[in-house]
Amino acid sequence: MREMVLNHASVLAPDASRAKVTDWLKDISAGMGQLVTDRIVRVGLRAHKHVHETFCLVDYSLLDAYQDIRRAGYREEYQFLVGLSIKAPLLHDVEEHIEGRFRACEEQTLPPPDGEPLVLCAIADWIAIGFPSAPIWDRDRITVRFNELLPDETIKEASEEVDQLTRSAHAGPICNRHRERLLAGSDDPATLWENRQTVFPNLVFGPGVEDNLKEQAHLFSTIVGKLKDLDQSAREWRDVGGPAPPWKTKVTPENTSVMDNPVLREARRFRSYRGTREMFEWHARFGDGGRIHLRFDAASKEVEVGYIGPHLPL
């Protein structure tokens, strides 16, 4: 799983007011929370220094901003921020191969140590966290250019695109890019199942779906496309409300004749992720006669997939 790394160069904003700093901090806490909820990153923040040593203004630390958020009544944001495990100094507990490459690199535009968090993000595929205190920081992706000392003692100029969160609005594009990359690399059912909570964060899956995916491997890309539509439907449902999700693909219930037949009805019952056997009456279509059977709950806005496979008996 990826990590969040504090870009302290963007956090130091001597021309900003305390109110502006706390507004930025409240906003990025929501964005970081989304990255954590969507299982993109670990619950932690890697930094050059601890928050009480990281300054936003000349006499105003990041910890001071935390306290001002608490005093202003933003308790959830405060609790999230103080709940982040802070890893400082920057290389605390990093894997040996990452540290080795990091020590052979130097950022081209910022002097050390200001450029070090961005270099670490570039070589480890981590996410830079900061404030939109300058135009270069006010975007969800940044190009990091650095020099790298190679084993033959030559120096190579390198550049990498780094995900950057300085506003809560940046979390969505970062999450989408991360999922698309996982999908692009998930060319087999086992990998998709392993990453299901990250790739489809708005769906839950019954345990039998793992074997279903293996059995339907020849229709893998078609199934993935349908699951993406269902995931988007579940996400939008939380925003728009209503008795059922605003389906992005055709989803219908079984007809009355099927549900009135005890044998056929039971064929639509599958084991839920909760451990109980539940009715998965609703279904989406894929391929030539394939079905994705699901259930949804209007109170919790939960959409669960229980079966992916050939048309069930009629």
Side-chain angles (χ1 to χ4, degrees), residues 15 23 39 75 93 95 102 106 142 144-145 171 180 186 212-213 224 232 258 260 307:
D15 295 331
D23 284 345
R39 299 176 61 85
R75 299 194 64 84
D93 280 349
E95 296 180 17
F102 173 84
E106 184 177 57
I142 184 173
V144 178
R145 295 180 172 83
E180 290 299 327
S186 299
N212 294 162
L213 288 170
V224 166
Q232 183 181 353
V258 169
D260 286 346
Y307 169 83

Side-chain angles (χ1 to χ4, degrees), residues 270-291:
F270 302 98
R271 194 152 61 94
S272 166
Y273 79 102
R274 299 177 183 273
T276 55
R277 287 183 60 80
E278 302 291 346
M279 183 61 62
F280 289 82
E281 176 189 357
W282 292 74
H283 58 266
R285 297 159 175 80
F286 70 90
D288 185 14
R291 294 291 186 269

Side-chain angles (χ1 to χ4, degrees), residues 27-188:
D27 187 51
I28 67 168
S29 70
M32 288 190 286
Q34 183 176 340
L35 296 182
V36 171
T37 299
D38 287 2
R39 299 176 61 85
I40 308 297
V41 297
R42 295 187 177 94
V43 186
L45 184 63
R46 190 174 291 277
H48 178 62
K49 295 180 179 179
H50 288 278
V51 291
H52 68 279
E53 302 171 301
T54 301
F55 283 86
C56 312
L57 310 174
V58 174
D59 59 348
Y60 190 67
S61 72
L62 202 52
L63 181 59
D64 293 330
Y66 283 14
Q67 298 300 332
D68 278 349
I69 286 175
R70 179 184 59 81
R71 284 190 283 266
Y74 295 92
R75 299 194 64 84
E76 288 187 10
E77 291 84 350
Y78 171 76
Q79 289 170 355
F80 172 79
L81 291 167
V82 298
L84 292 171
S85 60
I86 302 298
K87 299 180 181 180
L90 194 62
L91 298 182
H92 176 71
D93 280 349
V94 298
E95 296 180 17
E96 186 176 339
H97 73 279
I98 294 177
E99 180 176 357
R101 188 180 176 199
F102 173 84
R103 294 195 182 281
C105 297
E106 184 177 57
E107 215 273 339
Q108 288 184 356
T109 57
L110 296 173
D114 291 349
E116 292 176 356
L118 296 178
V119 170
L120 185 57
C121 289
I123 66 175
D125 189 30
W126 291 344
I127 299 172
I129 304 295
F131 291 161
S133 55
I136 190 175
W137 309 131
D138 196 3
R139 58 189 70 170
D140 60 54
R141 180 170 269 193
I142 184 173
T143 301
V144 178
R145 295 180 172 83
F146 56 97
N147 295 323
E148 182 171 6
L149 179 64
L150 301 179
D152 63 2
E153 297 188 354
T154 60
I155 295 177
K156 178 186 74 172
E157 291 187 2
S159 68
E160 293 286 348
E161 293 290 314
V162 168
D163 285 333
Q164 174 178 253
L165 187 144
T166 58
R167 294 187 186 274
S168 60
H170 295 164
I174 291 172
C175 292
N176 290 337
R177 283 195 294 268
H178 184 86
R179 292 185 197 115
E180 290 299 327
R181 279 170 35 187
L182 283 179
L183 279 173
S186 299
D187 56 358
D188 70 279

